[in-house]
Structure formats: C-alpha cells, structure tokens
Amino acid sequence: AQSVTQLGSHVSVSEGALVLLRCNYSSSVPPYLFWYVQYPNQGLQLLLKYTSAATLVKGINGFEAEFKKSETSFHLTKPSAHMSDAAEYFCAVSGTGSARQLTFGSGTQLTVLP
Amino acid sequence: EPEVTQTPSHQVTQMGQEVILRCVPISNHLYFYWYRQILGQKVEFLVSFYNNEISEKSEIFDDQFSVERPDGSNFTLKIRSTKLEDSAMYFCASNGQIQETQYFGPGTRLLVL
C-alpha cells in the first residue's frame, strides 16, 4: 500500500522568496515519486519525477525535488517564486511493478504575494 | 505537442441518469487511466486499462462504472446510475509505456443534482 502526505494545504510566499512544498510518502516497495501542478481550470501537468536515478531531480519552471529515503520525503523547492507559480501542487507516488496507478496527496495551494 | 483531450468540459445530470465521459488519449499511447477529484479532496485513482481490458481498479470503481475503448481513439467512462456523491472532476490520463509519465487531460466536471 502507498500513501502520500502533503504538509500544509495552503502556502503563501512573497515574490522572489524560496518556495518549499513538503511531501512525505509511505510505500512498501521502492517508489516512483512525482510532482504535478494544476493551474485553474486545467489538467495536471508533470513538474518532475523521481524514478530511482539521481536523488536530486530537476523539473520545469525552475523547480527541483530531492528524494530522501531516510526521511521518506520528496519536498519540492524553487529558489525564487514568481507570480506565475501560483497554482495547486500535488505530490504522487506509484509502484514500480505492473500496477502503476498514481496515489496522490491532498494538494498544496501556493499563493505568491507581490 | 500531443495532448489528452476530454469532453464535455462540464456536465450536469439528474441523479439516476447515465453519463458517459469521453477522452481522447495521446495517439500512440497504450495505457489509459481514469481518476477523479471530489471538490476539496484528493485526486483518486479509479481504473487503468490496457490491451482492451481493465488492468487495475480501485474500490471506488464498482458495478456502476464501466470503461470502454469503442474505437482506436476514444476511451470512455460510463456511470450507469449517477449518485449525488459522483459529483467530481474526472480526469483521463494516458502513457505509452507503463513506466512512463502519465499525461492528464483537462478534466470533466460532473455535477449530479
């Protein structure tokens, strides 16, 4: 069984400040981990994914995430927030076998303040 | 850039009515998925589909739900007799190989009255 916990349903940062969105996972098998972003009235867009290669994963729009097995975490960061980063962010986990459905966290709404 | 499309974008129906949600996955993809997101809640997996059959399904996907790939392009989710609690955003996703990224459509917002 797999699960994802996202700490903080709402995060506000000032433009130019560090973005840190937290994700912890639970998985009985080595996981694949994902961050998706959802802009208003749009579908889910992949930001980045971890698939057991490098533990520091770089994604689109300047985001990156680090897989820490000892902490069962996959936090998303961006050094400098931009107004266009305002959206909802979802962390997700999947297995690595034949069943690859995604299990999502509850999401974090990011607000960027001018 | 290829994308997953879904129709309709919004649907309002009466409780007990049948609805069919339609998806056109990316053309060379082989694996198809339906997820749903009840307002204010998590995105939840419903079902995955490969080689013209269901490969995995969640406990949500009961006998009221069915999926079909009626032709070479469409992938549909049917709810036979809708309930109030079926009101949600329904997302279709697809990927070419099972280990690849799942690409999501924009969703269909279903409201059951």
Side-chain angles (χ1 to χ4, degrees), chain B residues 94-113:
Chain B
S94 69
N95 56 6
Q97 297 295 326
I98 195 168
Q99 69 273 22
E100 294 180 352
T101 299
Q102 293 180 27
Y103 290 89
F104 283 77
T108 293
R109 186 170 295 283
L110 175 66
L111 178 60
V112 182
L113 301 176

Side-chain angles (χ1 to χ4, degrees), chain A residues 4 32 34 36 38 41-46 49 51 88 90 97-107, chain B residues 10 33 35 37 40-45 48 56 89 91 95 98-107 109:
Chain A
V4 172
Y32 286 178
F34 307 81
Y36 281 84
Q38 185 180 28
N41 300 315
Q42 295 188 28
L44 298 165
Q45 179 183 4
L46 182 72
K49 64 181 179 182
T51 57
E88 186 145 27
F90 293 93
S98 59
R100 296 296 183 93
Q101 61 267 28
L102 296 170
T103 299
F104 285 86
S106 52
Chain B
H10 294 78
Y33 310 81
Y35 294 82
Q37 184 181 28
Q41 297 186 24
K42 297 182 180 185
V43 177
E44 302 170 292
F45 168 75
S48 59
E56 296 288 335
M89 179 74 90
F91 292 107
N95 56 6
I98 195 168
Q99 69 273 22
E100 294 180 352
T101 299
Q102 293 180 27
Y103 290 89
F104 283 77
R109 186 170 295 283

Side-chain angles (χ1 to χ4, degrees), chain A residues 58-92:
Chain A
K58 295 188 183 299
I60 62 172
N61 301 337
F63 285 93
E64 62 181 37
E66 186 171 8
F67 172 69
K68 292 187 177 180
K69 184 178 178 180
S70 60
E71 299 177 7
T72 60
S73 69
F74 190 57
H75 301 331
L76 181 71
T77 60
K78 181 174 180 177
S80 177
H82 192 272
M83 297 296 288
S84 61
D85 294 327
E88 186 145 27
Y89 292 79
F90 293 93
C91 183

Side-chain angles (χ1 to χ4, degrees), chain A residues 8-45:
Chain A
S9 58
H10 290 82
V11 170
S12 293
V13 300
S14 297
E15 191 173 18
L18 171 71
V19 176
L20 171 61
L21 305 182
R22 300 179 186 274
C23 171
N24 288 89
Y25 70 91
S26 172
S27 177
S28 56
V29 298
Y32 286 178
L33 292 158
F34 307 81
W35 276 99
Y36 281 84
V37 61
Q38 185 180 28
Y39 297 101
N41 300 315
Q42 295 188 28
L44 298 165
Q45 179 183 4

